[in-house]
Amino acid sequence: MRYGVTLQGVDEPDEFVELTSWIEALGYDDLWLTDSSLHAGEVYIYATLALRATSRLRVGTAVTNPLTRHPAITANAFATLEQLAPGRVVCGIGVGDRPLAELGLKVAKVATLTDAVATLRRLWAGERLDGGAGDGGFCGARLRRAPGELPIYWAASGPRTLTAAGEHADGVILLAGLFPAGLDFALEHLQRGRARSRRPSFTRTCFLYGSLRDDERAALDEARTIAAWFPQTAPAYARLAGMSEELITSIVAAYEGGEFQKAGGAARLISDELVRTLAFAGTPHTVAPKLAWLRERGFEAVSVFPLGSDRRGTIERFAAMAGLR
């Protein structure tokens, strides 16, 4: 199993460089960086900093989308990163999330994402593109330096996106809660796509949003915001986790901000039990069975997204749990 850390570009550049070097030294395999519109620093600058600060860590976006940048610009960005650090770059992409709203954009259609991914692969293969391609057009478009095949992982939670990810992607970035019904739902739709896929291999990466502390109460409180994300953005999992329609409606009405950390009063409506169900939160002792369970389910990779005021503590405790170094 591969182990990773997911971060937003919120640290000062010098601090971020030190942080990524430390993460690599702890023994992690992957670093995922969010593309959060205006809520964090520019993802490709932070990816460059991370790649320059490390020698082994694989770096990916978690995730970009096909709307805020033309697919050809995204293709060029990853071609340049691959030139900087061959074999250590992953294109994580999805339909988009709440940060798109403040740009006046709705999440992309699955067909738009599918077309964008096809465009990325054609440009990376050195093709010259003319005419329409998804929502963007081309007139003799061709990369100056084509890197060849690069891995593409889709972030997916809904049925159509999951099925399309299984068919068209090289891997999935999954946020489906941490309970059997949620993961079964997601994996069933992924498998439908895999049955139609011509991609030779596929990596399932489960994102673990949460907090690891010696004080379980503090950890649950810090992870409450991501539990509030589900009714707003992926309500199917909220229902599978046992939320009533009345509670879902109340959480959606109270939800604030473009990112889950700013869920506001919505988070206070989430019970401790729901936090335990949907997030990776608690003491190392109480959450260790979840990590073991994911290994047993055959996940090829996991990545911890540290929430709260002690991000480094969560990262270090998770490394110890996973037996890294």
Side-chain angles (χ1 to χ4, degrees):
M1 178 179 275
R2 297 182 67 91
Y3 297 93
V5 176
T6 307
L7 297 174
Q8 292 178 306
V10 295
D11 299 280
E12 292 297 320
D14 287 346
E15 295 174 2
F16 178 78
V17 165
E18 186 276 327
L19 177 60
T20 56
S21 178
W22 175 72
I23 287 170
E24 182 176 67
L26 286 176
Y28 281 98
D29 304 296
D30 299 323
L31 176 67
W32 296 97
L33 301 171
T34 66
D35 186 3
S36 300
S37 301
L38 308 180
H39 296 266
E42 167 57 41
V43 65
Y44 294 110
I45 293 177
Y46 275 83
T48 300
L49 291 172
L51 290 168
R52 295 291 288 178
T54 59
S55 61
R56 180 186 53 79
L57 207 62
R58 188 176 66 167
V59 177
T61 48
V63 292
T64 193
N65 64 79
L67 300 180
T68 52
R69 297 176 183 85
H70 192 289
I73 303 303
T74 299
N76 194 34
F78 277 98
T80 306
L81 291 175
E82 175 67 13
Q83 184 180 355
L84 176 66
R88 292 204 288 135
V89 177
V90 182
C91 175
I93 193 168
V95 295
D97 203 336
R98 290 184 58 80
L100 291 177
E102 67 186 23
L103 305 181
L105 300 171
K106 297 180 180 180
V107 298
K109 296 179 180 178
V110 174
T112 300
L113 180 57
T114 302
D115 288 342
V117 166
T119 295
L120 294 174
R121 290 191 173 123
R122 292 178 66 189
L123 287 168
W124 290 337
E127 289 189 40
R128 173 189 168 113
L129 303 185
D130 288 285
D135 289 342
F138 301 91
C139 183
R142 187 173 185 177
L143 286 175
R144 183 183 68 85
R145 185 185 180 109
E149 188 83 5
L150 296 179
I152 299 177
Y153 287 23
W154 287 28
S157 57
R160 288 181 297 171
T161 313
L162 286 162
T163 301
E167 181 173 3
H168 300 289
D170 302 300
V172 67
I173 295 169
L174 190 62
L175 181 57
L178 292 168
F179 62 108
L183 286 183
D184 288 346
F185 176 85
L187 294 176
E188 176 184 347
H189 289 286
L190 273 176
Q191 187 53 42
R192 291 178 185 176
R194 289 299 299 155
R196 301 198 295 259
S197 179
R198 297 183 179 180
R199 307 300 300 173
S201 62
F202 193 81
T203 300
R204 298 175 299 173
T205 301
C206 188
F207 268 27
L208 310 176
Y209 287 66
S211 172
L212 296 178
R213 285 182 174 268
D214 295 329
D215 181 348
E216 184 172 20
R217 165 56 52 200
L220 293 174
D221 287 342
E222 289 182 333
R224 212 171 296 277
T225 52
I226 192 60
W229 175 90
F230 283 92
Q232 173 67 35
T233 311
Y237 298 98
R239 295 184 179 98
L240 288 171
M243 289 192 194
S244 68
E245 293 301 323
E246 181 181 4
L247 178 57
I248 290 172
T249 300
S250 297
I251 292 170
V252 171
Y255 203 95
E256 303 169 8
E259 286 278 29
F260 63 87
Q261 297 96 324
K262 299 180 180 179
R268 291 191 289 272
L269 301 174
I270 303 290
S271 69
D272 289 353
E273 190 56 38
L274 285 170
V275 177
R276 292 187 180 96
T277 299
L278 294 167
F280 192 75
T283 69
H285 175 73
T286 60
V287 300
K290 287 189 174 183
L291 184 58
W293 175 60
L294 290 170
R295 290 193 190 106
E296 293 169 0
R297 293 299 304 266
F299 275 86
E300 292 83 8
V302 293
S303 185
V304 63
F305 192 133
L307 304 178
S309 61
D310 187 22
R311 292 182 303 148
R312 284 182 181 249
T314 291
I315 292 168
E316 193 164 23
R317 292 180 190 107
F318 186 81
M321 284 179 52
L324 304 185
R325 287 195 294 192

